[in-house]
Amino acid sequence: MTQPHQLNALLDTLLQQCQPLYVEGKVADYIPVLSQVEPEQVGIAVATLDGTVYSAGAATQAFSLQSVSKIFALVMAMNRIGDELWQRVNMEPSGQPFNSIVQLEWEKGIPRNPVINAGAILVSDVLVSHYSASKSAFLTFIRRLCGEEAIYADPQVYLSELEHGNRNAALAYLMKSFGNIDAEVPQVLEQYFHQCATAINCEQLARSLLFLANRGVQPHNNEQICSRRDAHRVNAILSTSGMYDQSGEFAFKVGLPAKSGVGGAIIAIVPQFGVITAWSPPLNRFGNSVVAMQLISLLADELGLSLF
Ligand code: GLN
């Protein structure tokens, strides 16, 4: 196994190597505030189960969590309503862009999986309907997982999404028309945008997801965050759907459960080892960070982390 000082040096080398690729992507601008982020920034962090965090570059610079938030919300919903969730959302890859609407009409308001927008909006409905103060419950959950109170929802990102969220509103109303959303749509969207607007950095994000690499138990305090079965299920969904319409390619190249967000972050879970978070804002046409994908791909290859 690579020694700690070697891992830090490796992260530095890979970062230098991959950073120039940022010019190949484009920073998301359909949420206008996100387009103001400096495109050349890059960070990477690896949190291991023994509590060590290795990092390089802008690993303590906060970014917008965006769709990576879908993981936390999903775990909260699974914990609250159990198997009932799987009657309202499926667990299949969509083969469509993350915010696609067509499939939802054909499939009668049942989203393909909980990590495309439709599925995550449904999960937000579960949180609104089953937690008394669902927005703060979400933040409390992440803060508890990474042991830092500093994590917050960025009000500018939240408002920017709210003002430009017509497609997400359309998804929510379509599901409501099929009877698959319980709460009022504006309330559900507020919850969803609030989750996406979470500001967090690579080190915090890697640490907070360690329970998924450790059968549901958060290693720093041995707290059971979700059942072993649910940790397995989340990883399974991330493996097949977490990188949207590039999930097959990611499994083919990297072989780890992963999730991307349009803020430029990608997380990868390495069971029994730890969590990798890479961040670089410019995205490819699938909405996945170009540099973060390459960084994780090279690191997984170098350390032999693939599950397959
Ligand atoms: N908030 C974004 C949206 O709803 C999240 C999408 C993403 O990160 N892929 O479009």
Side-chain angles (χ1 to χ4, degrees), residues 17-178:
Q17 191 181 330
C18 297
Q19 201 263 355
L21 293 177
Y22 82 88
V23 295
E24 290 179 14
K26 191 172 171 304
V27 178
D29 56 7
Y30 76 101
I31 301 167
V33 162
L34 293 185
S35 68
Q36 295 163 14
V37 178
E38 297 294 333
E40 64 276 5
Q41 303 179 90
V42 190
I44 184 163
V46 177
T48 52
L49 294 187
D50 64 5
T52 315
V53 179
Y54 306 89
S55 63
T60 56
Q61 167 70 43
F63 52 77
S64 191
L65 186 58
Q66 291 299 319
S67 281
V68 184
S69 65
K70 292 169 179 171
I71 304 176
F72 298 97
L74 174 60
V75 172
M76 288 177 76
M78 288 166 106
N79 281 346
R80 205 36 82 100
I81 66 166
D83 281 350
E84 204 188 299
L85 181 66
W86 305 108
Q87 283 156 25
R88 295 175 57 190
V89 59
N90 223 319
M91 66 286 281
E92 298 300 335
S94 69
Q96 301 285 332
F98 62 83
N99 54 5
S100 169
I101 242 171
V102 281
Q103 212 164 30
L104 198 57
E105 165 78 347
W106 285 113
E107 299 184 357
K108 303 197 176 353
I110 309 283
R112 268 287 161 128
N113 66 65
V115 294
I116 50 171
N117 284 17
I121 291 167
L122 184 135
V123 166
S124 295
D125 176 51
V126 172
L127 301 192
V128 165
S129 309
H130 292 268
Y131 284 84
S132 52
S134 51
K135 284 192 256 181
S136 61
F138 178 84
L139 269 185
T140 305
F141 185 53
I142 301 197
R143 287 174 177 160
R144 190 175 104 212
L145 287 173
C146 85
E148 275 186 50
E149 289 299 308
I151 292 170
Y152 66 103
D154 184 325
Q156 266 191 305
V157 177
Y158 170 75
L159 287 176
S160 193
E161 287 218 61
L162 199 60
E163 279 167 21
H164 297 86
N166 292 326
R167 179 172 275 269
N168 286 319
L171 291 168
Y173 280 111
L174 187 57
M175 287 189 284
K176 182 94 178 160
S177 78
F178 282 106

